[in-house]
Amino acid sequence: MIYSVLIIEDDEGIQTYLKELLLDNGYNVMTASDGITGLKIIKKSVPDLVLLDLGLPDMSGESVCAQIKKDVPDLRIIMLTARDTPHDIIQGLNLGADDYLTKPYATKELIARIRLHCAVMRSRKLWPTRLLISETWQFIRIAMKYVSVMKSWI
Ligand code: CA
């Protein structure tokens, strides 16, 4: 299963690094260098996960996060930032970020967290299908019971 990740990061070096890291690990990657572009991309094609830098040129990462959660509440967001005080982390999580990693982060930890969040996102997307299957199965069982009752009458 191929997951898609949107990187919203204005630092070209970091953006390229993250993009290559994710491509190497088998992800589809979309990139945006500012918040407005990032939000436009999400409206066109919803990714499984967003990696969001807090220090963006056009709007704050906090407002981007809040807007994403308004547009697509289920979309998972990992905030990546150099701000690492407990106050910053709590604020990020309060805004609806699902995770928070402070720079410099260990590559392996980042990949492990990305994998986890993508899997959660996908299992949520699959949930309605699973529900439908279990309902169909229940219907078949009831129908079979009905048939066997009918047979006993004949
Ligand atoms: Ca930045």
Side-chain angles (χ1 to χ4, degrees):
M1 185 169 287
I2 297 170
Y3 297 114
S4 62
V5 177
L6 169 63
I7 303 164
I8 307 179
E9 165 71 74
D10 63 317
D11 185 308
E12 224 174 280
I14 298 175
Q15 194 194 91
T16 307
Y17 164 77
L18 289 172
K19 185 179 177 177
E20 273 163 18
L21 177 71
L22 287 170
L23 288 174
D24 284 349
N25 280 274
Y27 290 86
N28 273 339
V29 181
M30 297 180 278
T31 54
S33 300
D34 58 69
I36 289 173
T37 310
L39 291 170
K40 272 188 194 160
I41 291 175
I42 292 168
K43 280 200 173 144
K44 263 197 227 157
S45 156
V46 179
D48 291 299
L49 176 75
V50 177
L51 295 183
L52 178 63
D53 173 35
L54 281 189
L56 293 169
D58 58 339
M59 51 197 285
S60 74
E62 284 93 341
S63 350
V64 177
C65 180
Q67 190 59 47
I68 293 173
K69 285 292 171 178
K70 222 169 122 191
D71 293 343
V72 191
D74 279 347
L75 180 48
R76 297 182 84 81
I77 301 169
I78 301 180
M79 279 186 175
L80 301 175
T81 174
R83 298 181 220 160
D84 60 353
T85 68
H87 172 78
D88 289 323
I89 296 172
I90 290 165
Q91 200 189 3
L93 294 173
N94 280 344
L95 281 164
D98 299 283
D99 210 344
Y100 198 103
L101 269 181
T102 52
K103 298 168 186 169
Y105 31 78
T107 304
K108 274 188 183 167
E109 184 182 357
L110 177 63
I111 285 295
R113 287 183 192 234
I114 288 171
R115 194 173 296 137
L116 172 77
H117 288 290
C118 283
V120 172
M121 179 75 182
R122 199 51 72 100
S123 74
R124 278 193 192 171
K125 278 187 187 167
L126 289 177
W127 178 242
T129 320
R130 274 194 210 138
L131 206 64
L132 198 66
I133 290 168
S134 84
E135 270 174 2
T136 308
W137 184 234
Q138 213 169 352
F139 174 75
I140 291 170
R141 279 206 318 236
I142 291 167
M144 279 165 71
K145 221 182 250 178
Y146 184 69
V147 167
S148 70
V149 170
M150 291 287 281
K151 268 188 188 161
S152 70
W153 284 352
I154 295 166

